[in-house]
Amino acid sequence: MGTDIRSRRSFLSAVSAGSLAVAASPLLSACGGSGSDGDGKTTLEWWDNATTEPQKSLYPQLIQAFQAARPDVTIKITNLENEAYKAKMTAVTASGKLPDIFMTWGGGVLKQQVDAGLVEDLTSRAAALSATLTPISQQAYRFDGKTWAIPNDIGMVGFWYNKRLFAKAGIKAPPATWSEFLDGVRKLKSAGITPIALAGKEKWPGHYYWAYLALRIGGTATLKQAETSKDFSAPAFAGAGQRLKELVDLAPFQPGFQGAGYATPGGQAATMGAGQAAMELMGQWAPNVQRDTGKDLGEDLGFFPFPAVEGGQGSPGDIFGGGSGHALRKGAPAAAYDFLKFLLTPENERKLITSGAFMPVVKGAESAITDPNRRLVAETVARASGFQLYLDQAFPPAVGQEVNDGVADLIAGRKTPEQVAAAVTRTAKSQ
């Protein structure tokens, strides 16, 4: 931990040569160079993934408000799309020069950055602020009793569905079990409706199915045990693949899904928003991205949690998902933490929530939610019996990538459920 050179060296040596090549880019060279400008002023570099509305416009407004109150500080924000953001962060981590403020999903990716001595320990400074935040929102950013990032959003993955298309197919209520879900897919296909929109090209949306099925079959304890033992041979993981194959065999996805992106024109969100598919399995941000890339379903849009798996050990109240937070590079100027506190003042927390893009992390802030679907998500998160972070973030980067790649291969028919579980185990044990 801390500044142990050995831990940093072991992490950096694991980064591919291709990532190091990215590190030579002009964008990377800006990192780690902020601080005092010599005239009593401070310039901060902030990296985020806010490339869609309303975050794209909201964040600059918050920066302006902070700078008005703190004329000694200038904040420069760089927004990158999800996959580009992950690639750049891998590269800058390899260089040892993170931005002053950077968005993080927490979990294993953040843990490796922490172990490399690149992240500021916020435990002492954040004690008072942490007491005002919901416990589940902070879980992904705490290791060994210490706080390494401050959340600004928390939610869950679930099914967003088109009520009108469900009614057309004769589906009277959202499915509560996996068998009912598969039956609903069959009814939708019989009615000439594409059941599910999926961004097959980006892989991470597909891993949601495998992860949720493993959670429903084995429960949170099985996933935590696999994370600790680096062994995914438990029946829950092959079972998750078998259940997912049951779905894939029904050909439920839109034509061309293997080449479809998520937030791209004609991609998963746009297909759903345009009413060309009945469902998508996605996080709390889904309605906004549907609106930003396609059309707004309005009152036709509904939400239901991932169904229970008959005979599974997992509780239907266990949720899979996460949110986002912000961490600071080791040695970041004090103004960087001041800005993180500023983001969560009552006024700004309300702005984040009412924008429709964020779910509350401050205790009691749920009252600001007016949309019934978002309120349902917030209420489901609040009463969750267990929580599992996205697997491509909960595990080290190489393991998360193997999960995404393996599930994509399963969906494409290139791997069996057993081969996927075995490959994830091999990768985990090699780390």
Side-chain angles (χ1 to χ4, degrees), residues 121-413:
D121 181 353
L122 302 178
T123 308
S124 297
R125 279 189 285 178
L129 177 61
S130 294
T132 69
L133 307 179
T134 59
I136 199 171
S137 71
Q138 304 175 71
Q139 185 172 318
Y141 316 109
R142 285 184 167 169
F143 314 115
D144 302 321
K146 294 184 178 181
T147 298
W148 300 95
I150 305 299
N152 71 324
D153 179 44
I154 184 63
M156 62 176 286
V157 172
F159 279 103
W160 297 90
Y161 75 105
N162 188 316
K163 297 177 183 178
R164 180 180 60 81
L165 295 182
F166 266 44
K168 182 178 178 181
I171 303 173
K172 297 180 179 180
T177 67
W178 186 246
S179 294
E180 290 177 3
F181 178 79
L182 295 180
D183 186 54
V185 168
R186 296 185 187 97
K187 288 180 178 179
L188 288 163
K189 286 183 68 69
S190 295
I193 299 167
T194 297
I196 302 171
L198 180 65
K201 181 180 180 180
E202 297 191 20
K203 298 183 179 180
W204 57 268
H207 111 272
Y208 287 172
Y209 290 86
W210 189 79
Y212 241 134
L213 284 164
L215 182 64
R216 290 289 184 261
I217 295 170
T220 56
T222 295
L223 286 161
K224 298 301 181 187
Q225 177 61 33
E227 184 177 352
T228 301
S229 66
K230 300 183 178 181
D231 188 341
F232 292 78
S233 63
F237 298 105
Q242 291 161 3
R243 297 300 195 289
L244 178 53
K245 188 175 183 304
E246 291 175 354
L247 174 63
V248 171
D249 287 346
L250 297 178
F253 308 120
Q254 82 275 21
F257 78 92
Q258 295 279 23
Y262 171 57
T264 54
Q268 176 176 329
T271 298
M272 183 67 190
Q276 296 172 352
M279 292 179 280
E280 68 166 329
L281 182 61
M282 191 48 61
Q284 61 272 15
W285 56 86
N288 280 301
V289 184
Q290 291 171 17
R291 187 179 305 116
D292 198 49
T293 59
K295 298 179 181 178
D296 187 354
L297 290 178
E299 294 184 357
D300 281 339
L301 184 66
F303 176 86
F304 64 92
F306 197 92
V309 173
E310 294 89 341
Q313 301 301 307
S315 166
D318 293 345
I319 63 171
F320 169 80
S324 61
H326 292 100
L328 307 180
R329 70 168 174 85
K330 184 76 172 180
Y337 180 70
D338 293 340
F339 182 65
L340 297 191
K341 289 195 300 181
F342 175 78
L343 289 178
L344 293 181
T345 61
E347 178 184 1
N348 289 331
E349 170 75 341
R350 186 171 185 83
K351 286 181 180 178
L352 293 173
I353 296 171
T354 57
S355 74
F358 298 87
M359 299 296 287
V361 298
V362 175
K363 294 175 181 176
E366 297 87 355
S367 60
I369 301 175
T370 57
D371 179 81
N373 288 319
R374 294 181 65 241
R375 182 176 289 277
L376 177 58
V377 172
E379 291 172 349
T380 305
V381 170
R383 64 173 182 266
S385 55
F387 174 79
Q388 174 61 51
L389 181 66
Y390 316 115
L391 299 192
D392 57 355
Q393 295 299 317
F395 303 144
V399 181
Q401 189 61 54
E402 182 60 46
V403 170
N404 287 346
D405 290 345
V407 173
D409 285 342
L410 173 65
I411 292 173

